[in-house]
Amino acid sequence: MAMSADQAPRLSTKANCLSLEPRLAHEGGPFDEVECPAGLFWLTPKHNNDHSEIRHIRILPTTDEILCKRRPFIPTKDAQGGINERRGKARMLDVQFRQLRYDTLAPVIDACYHASQHLASSLTEPVLSDYEVRQHTVQGTAYSLFRDVRLEDSRFEPDGIHLRLSFACPAHLRQKRMLTSGHFESGMLMALIGLDSKSTLSTAFLTVEMCQSTLSMKPITGNHLRASVVASFVESSDTDTIRRTLCGLKGLLDKEKFIIVEFPKVLVAGFYWILKHLQFLSSTNAEIAFSNSIAPLSSSHLEQIAPPAYTDCSTSSFDLGILQGAAPSDGRTSLHIDPGYMSLKPEQQQMIIGSVCSTTTLDHGQATALCENLSRGLAFTQGPPGTGKTFLGVSLAKVILKHAPRKPILVACMTNHALDNFLGDLVKQGITKIARIGSGSKEEWIDKYTLPSIRKKFDKGDKSMAQKARKDKAYNAVQSLWNQGTSWCESLNSHTLTWAAVADHLKVRHPYAYSDFSRYESPSEQKASDIRRGRSEMGGYAFEHWSTGKDLKDTEEFSRDVGSFFNKDTSQAQSASESSHSGSSSPNLSQNPPHVPIAYPYDDLGQSIWSMPMDVRAAWMTRWRSELNASDPVDKLVEIHRRYLEAKRLKRGLLDASDAKGLATQEVIGLTTTACAKYWPMLKTLNLETLICEEAGEVSEAQTITTLLPSIKHAIFIGDPLQLRPQVNQSSLSVETPYGARYRLDESLFERMVMPRAPSERPFPVSRLDLQRRMHPDVAQLLRATLYPYLKDHPSTSHLPVAGMAHRTFWLDHQEPEDIRNPLLLSARSYSNAFECAMICELVRYLLNTNDFGSGEIAILVPYSQQLACLKEKLTGTRACSIALSEKDKEDLIAMGLLDESEQSHFKTDVEVSPMVRLATIDGFQGEEAKPTLKPGADSELLLRPIVRGTPNSRKPSLSLTNFKTSWPAMNHAPIYLYADMAVPTLAMNLYFMTGWFVRSLAAND
């Protein structure tokens, strides 16, 4: 029986426990093909996070889930397959959530289990000051493990509780080396795993905020042996985990030993907001635009393709005058496109397209796509490399804004780089009323278009008194709770008794003492600032003064101490004291005559608190501390944290409402698909009607869903599913593997709609761009021979001959086998060919010596990390050039032991690479495309592509139709391509060496 939305799941699982035996991969595949979560078929759940409804699943794995050895249930993508009975939108959300969560967190679970085995086996071992950080599981997951973890202090930051965790720092990461090692980068995921004396395992997931080296920690630790990381809880609303973690770190539970597990390049924002949004859509049954088209209940429920719902076919039309430049001088009116264009006869459509081509700068393919996109509510446009996809998107935006200027257009891209490029083109076309949401841009020109800048301009307008009062109330509530949280963090960190910890106890047990301490602070009678008002609620001025052995000899000394409490200088405190009678914000000390005993009875303490000598005061503080519950500071801090998050939520709602008014005045709102998930509630209030999504072929289906706001009536997706697919971590979910073909997480919504795999599914209409302006015709011929038979070349692509080379494309056949691998090394899973490395290096030297190529005009792509390491070693051994490696490739080389951590800073990533040879694996090249400082391929004049091949009877060459497509962005401008293999000739570009095996493979795939 299905549970209602407000029912909490109650699970009963068999005990999952930690074993010290290696955790091997499951035979027959990683997923359960028979069992499903509890509730679908009333089966026993595998662990306490195994739920039939995705809204009940915790995004980060629980400890019980980490310990579970049974295969998870992952539904297939095909509606006919598997045992999941859901259909339509519910099934789409369920499939996307479970697949994306597994793809991201399966390595996290594997690493946490392996790290827990390390922790369990080392409980009785002495703490080592030097150890190996890099670890690998039996299944090949790489992670970093840091030992001997301690809580240095807690902090209350704008997003809640932060922890500073110190750990034993290995020798090779001490001094400043930790800061350049790539460890603990801001925003990355880490786990804190604890094991107590009763063999109870605990897990908390945190987001890295900052890293501190051994040099920074020396004032605290007194040595250079410990570094630290400041981190926040990923699930900040999970107060149970926060309380349990704080109690464990403070030693309030059974003696517990902790380790930190760092996951390389797992960015929390990269998956958390998408998964959270899918849960929200599932739990609220929120509307998704065009759900009947993208997730029909059955093939008979397919939605008919109609013009945008905001148009009226009988009276409305799109004015293309904005694309025609100056108004026609012969009296002709500007060209208009009727939303009912698709219902016209083919000859009528061609007449309109001809007019568009003759009066605008659009070519025939772009003009056709423009007309079709304007007349389809849900539109897809495919464009091969260099065919002007962004140009088409900008043209569509200009026409739609002229037609319906009342509401902004939503522009969504997968990467910050693509988004900034698109918005930059809009600005060049005169569209300057744009808002850029999110903080991922590295472009300086975008600053004035960001949400904070727009907020600043919009806030200058007049506001009603009621609005201002609501805003002030919300801000004051957040500030007050923040200050209380700060006080409780100080109490938790302190080794001495603090007022925050003892106040409630004194109020009950020693009310006269409490009254005397608190009577010196009367914030209600002062015009205190928000900070002082919050601190006054916690009190502490008189108690801190008293606990250090001071008395009331004079009010000026007390005022100076109060000033110090506020982090004010002495002169400010004295000034505040002098003005206390006139309503200043310093504590009211006029009622405190010096040297006069307080006239309250102190039967419970025996004497006035101010007449006690220091030893008596210390004795009372020791007694009060013993009377307190040790966990009280933790409980109070966690409760303040909970209330603070609620107050921030209310404040965020007011801020979003204000931001929404400012955004509604813009013409274009641009953001990444991840930001779209994060800011979805605010975007929903704007009732946006038009969406333009660029790079749609690279955007995962889960990310695409976040862009389809309920109010969207016109969705335009522009991309090319034949180039780069969405990236996945698990090959078992990839369409490229036989096992993953049923799951296809790397199949975008674009590809699924226009290129359905099931014969029974009807492909959605797609517009195609057909004139490329980037590649030389010799290069473009390769693409025509494989997947773009309709591709045409613009006359401007006929480049001059390449200096030093007879042809633009080359195929090199050689018979040199790949290098012998050592099965005992981590790099045994990779391949290299020394002959190809030597050949490539000599070719690079030759081309550089011609003086017609700079090193920044050469890019080398390789299929394997081992080959990358071989080329890196040979190229860095010469003065001919410098090497630029991508961040992903550096991380892979370090994980495989092919690059030392101390060496990695020698290879640039976040700098302009114009004077450097660009060296990358295919996967690393794809991952670095978005970095604006790298621009791989787009500026490269020469692309060299060694393949690495074994013997003809061994494994297949690395180059397939799939990973060859990944190289296409690099081919856009490069006039020379080289492909090398040891079989028979295959493939070439502007200098391309390849072999016949690839040609046969392309023919088979085609």
Side-chain angles (χ1 to χ4, degrees), residues 909-921:
T909 54
D910 295 327
V911 297
E912 188 64 43
V913 298
S914 56
M916 314 179 87
V917 170
R918 179 76 168 94
L919 177 61
T921 60

Side-chain angles (χ1 to χ4, degrees), residues 137 261 346 348 392 508 515 612 752 767 799 815 819 941:
T137 70
V261 180
Q348 293 175 306
L392 173 66
V508 175
S515 177
M612 292 178 180
R752 178 169 69 84
S767 304
H799 308 293
Q815 301 299 318
D819 302 333
E941 295 295 331

Side-chain angles (χ1 to χ4, degrees), residues 231-250:
S232 59
F233 291 91
V234 176
E235 296 281 7
S236 57
S237 60
D238 184 5
T239 53
D240 289 339
T241 297
I242 296 175
R243 184 187 183 282
R244 200 254 175 251
T245 303
L246 287 173
C247 287
L249 288 166
K250 293 295 292 183

Side-chain angles (χ1 to χ4, degrees), residues 400-475:
I400 294 172
L401 283 173
K402 187 173 182 180
H403 175 82
R406 65 189 183 281
K407 291 185 179 180
I409 293 176
L410 180 65
V411 173
C413 299
M414 187 186 74
T415 65
N416 286 291
H417 179 51
L419 177 61
D420 290 342
N421 282 345
F422 192 94
L423 297 181
D425 287 347
L426 288 176
V427 171
K428 292 175 183 177
Q429 293 295 319
I431 301 174
T432 58
K433 295 181 67 175
I434 63 175
R436 210 288 195 185
I437 301 179
S439 57
S441 176
K442 296 183 179 180
E443 301 289 341
E444 293 183 2
W445 65 267
I446 209 74
D447 289 346
K448 64 179 180 180
Y449 300 109
T450 59
L451 186 56
S453 297
I454 294 173
R455 183 186 302 148
K456 190 180 299 183
K457 295 177 183 177
F458 193 77
D459 281 347
K460 293 179 180 179
D462 293 333
K463 292 184 178 180
S464 68
M465 294 298 294
Q467 286 178 316
K468 188 177 186 304
R470 285 194 299 269
K471 182 178 178 181
D472 289 344
K473 182 179 179 181
Y475 274 64

Side-chain angles (χ1 to χ4, degrees), residues 2 81 133 150 204 217 292 294 428 453 512 600 649 658 717:
V133 168
R150 304 172 194 167
M217 290 298 295
N292 289 337
I294 65 175
K428 292 175 183 177
S453 297
Y512 295 120
Y600 287 149
R649 185 186 65 82
S658 177
F717 295 96

